[in-house]
């Protein structure tokens, strides 16, 4: 009986394209990464119409327990004790750029009084462009 | 004479750690990436030198009560009916100001809902320009008009 010679097959995982995939993922995350100045979790109100917030906009955050935070747009947001502090902080940004946009990131359930106070102080500081941050509302209202 | 045998050295860029570095970077970007909400309702605040004082009787007054119920020019109205109410007035005068007053106790989302509806007015009513919405603050209302409602 003829003895068949078995040819050993080398087991290997093809890794030639791994570097391509890895760098593709790196580029994707580099392009999409936004280093936000404020990571406070708030339940934003919903709206159908939404405009893009310009990069570097100042952010004023109002949480459900009415804690306020401020960021001029470059630094991480910090807690401010009252809306009165906003006038000087916002005025400093407006002095550099009179059209510097200010984003109001407030929880939808917060009483309007808190938002009104913030808007009033921003107006007093000479702010001209305000954006009320919202989440997308779908057509069926969800 | 001594015959030295040349040893050949393979030229090679060490790439064994490249995968480690690449995946470290991937993990870093995955952890730091925040797909944040970056859109909202924009409005321009008129500059002091260009601001005109609006007389409440010339404007349409939308009042949002503490219970989120709407009153338009003194009459209760549903949000869906606001644009239909404004349409003939804006057809006559596209610059007709709309004053949006919100009760301080009303939730913020109620104001955003009305603001959203008004900002959609240009498209829905096929207007030539955006609805002229004024959002006076409580202090401005008291200073300029001594309170509207």
């Amino acid at each position: 009986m003829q003895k068949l010679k078995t040819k050993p097959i080398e087991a290997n995982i093809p890794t030639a394209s791994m570097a391509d995939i890895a760098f593709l993922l790196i580029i994707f995350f580099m392009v999409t990464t936004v280093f936000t100045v404020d990571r406070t979790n708030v339940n934003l109100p919903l709206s159908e119409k939404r405009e893009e917030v310009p990069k570097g906009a100042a952010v004023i955050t109002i949480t459900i327990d009415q804690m306020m935070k401020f960021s001029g747009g470059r630094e991480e947001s910090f807690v401010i004790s009252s809306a009165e502090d906003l006038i000087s902080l916002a005025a400093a940004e407006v002095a550099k750029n009179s059209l510097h946009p200010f984003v109001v990131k407030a929880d939808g359930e917060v009483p309007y009084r808190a938002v009104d106070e913030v808007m009033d102080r921003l107006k007093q500081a000479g702010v001209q462009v305000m954006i009320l941050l919202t989440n997308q509302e779908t057509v069926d209202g969800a | 004479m001594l015959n030295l045998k040349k040893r050949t050295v393979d030229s090679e860029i060490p790439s064994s750690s490249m995968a480690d570095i690449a995946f470290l970077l991937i993990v870093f970007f995955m952890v730091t990436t925040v797909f944040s909400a970056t859109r909202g309702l924009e409005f321009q605040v008129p500059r002091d030198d260009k601001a005109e004082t609006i007389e409440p009787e010339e404007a349409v007054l939308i009042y949002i009560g503490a219970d989120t119920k709407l009153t338009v020019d003194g009459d209760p109205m549903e949000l869906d009916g606001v644009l239909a109410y404004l349409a003939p007035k804006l057809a006559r005068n596209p610059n007709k100001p709309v004053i949006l007053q919100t009760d301080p106790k009303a939730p913020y989302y109620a104001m955003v809902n009305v603001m959203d509806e008004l900002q959609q007015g240009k498209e829905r009513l096929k207007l030539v320009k955006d609805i002229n919405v004024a959002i006076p603050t409580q202090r401005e209302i008291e200073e300029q008009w001594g309170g509207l409602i």
Side-chain angles (χ1 to χ4, degrees):
Chain A
M1 196 179 156
Q2 197 184 0
K3 197 179 175 186
L4 286 171
K5 203 177 176 185
T6 51
K7 212 166 82 178
I9 301 166
E10 271 186 51
N12 73 322
I13 300 166
T15 55
S17 62
M18 194 181 69
D20 298 337
I21 297 164
F23 281 104
L24 197 80
L25 282 168
I26 289 173
I27 289 164
F28 168 75
F29 282 111
M30 279 175 77
V31 170
T32 56
T33 295
V34 182
F35 292 98
T36 49
V37 292
D38 181 75
R39 287 162 178 267
T40 317
N41 196 15
V42 295
N43 195 8
L44 292 172
L46 306 176
S47 74
E48 280 181 46
K49 192 171 167 94
R50 296 164 82 221
E51 314 262 349
E52 187 74 38
V53 172
K55 278 185 181 168
V59 180
I60 297 108
T61 309
I62 310 169
T63 61
I64 187 73
D65 50 2
Q66 297 187 37
M67 182 186 72
M68 270 186 238
K69 282 181 160 186
F70 177 84
S71 166
R74 289 170 298 278
E75 74 285 351
E76 191 81 15
S77 63
F78 53 91
V79 177
I80 51 170
S81 53
S82 74
E84 292 302 322
D85 300 345
L86 267 180
I87 300 178
S88 55
L89 290 166
E93 295 298 331
V94 172
K96 284 180 230 160
N97 173 13
S98 62
L99 290 173
H100 192 64
F102 280 71
V103 175
V104 178
K105 179 184 171 184
D107 195 291
E109 293 290 338
V110 89
Y112 184 69
R113 183 192 305 278
V115 181
D116 182 78
E117 276 180 12
V118 166
M119 281 166 58
D120 191 53
R121 302 308 184 275
L122 293 180
K123 282 184 180 180
Q124 285 182 50
V127 172
Q128 289 178 42
V129 183
M130 287 191 216
I131 298 150
L132 307 175
L133 204 66
T134 59
N135 272 333
Q136 184 67 59
E137 181 176 15
T138 51
V139 179
D140 58 3
Chain B
M1 199 176 155
L2 189 70
N3 192 8
L4 287 172
K5 201 177 177 184
K6 269 193 185 170
R7 218 171 58 185
T8 52
V9 181
D10 278 341
S11 62
E12 192 188 356
I13 299 166
S15 60
S16 58
S17 62
M18 193 182 70
D20 299 338
I21 298 164
F23 280 105
L24 198 80
L25 282 168
I26 290 173
V27 171
F28 168 75
F29 282 113
M30 279 175 76
V31 170
T32 56
T33 295
V34 181
F35 295 97
S36 57
T38 54
R39 284 167 174 265
L41 296 169
E42 184 178 332
F43 67 96
Q44 305 272 338
V45 180
R47 277 165 49 188
D48 282 345
D49 55 341
K50 285 189 179 172
E52 293 169 29
T53 307
I54 303 167
E55 295 306 325
E57 50 274 15
E58 292 171 9
V60 174
L61 173 64
I62 302 178
Y63 178 76
I64 306 167
D67 54 358
T68 74
K69 295 249 164 54
L70 295 186
T71 312
V72 183
D73 284 342
D75 299 320
M77 198 174 284
E78 292 296 318
L79 184 59
D80 300 345
V82 172
L83 285 181
Y85 175 81
L86 290 174
K89 293 175 188 291
L90 291 168
R92 279 196 297 276
N93 177 12
N95 292 320
K96 183 102 179 155
V98 177
I99 301 174
L100 184 57
Q101 187 188 4
T102 310
D103 191 287
K105 290 192 280 298
Y108 168 56
Y109 73 81
M111 179 267 189
V112 170
N113 287 347
V114 178
M115 183 79 181
D116 186 27
E117 189 79 1
L118 293 173
Q119 288 211 350
Q120 290 177 52
K122 187 184 170 189
E123 290 161 27
R124 291 225 214 135
L125 302 177
K126 296 183 172 56
L127 301 171
V128 285
K129 58 191 288 188
D130 283 318
I131 298 176
N132 179 14
V133 184
I135 311 170
T137 63
Q138 205 60 34
R139 182 186 57 83
E140 288 173 330
I141 291 167
E142 277 156 25
E143 279 180 8
Q144 287 179 23
W145 304 304
L148 289 173
I149 297 285

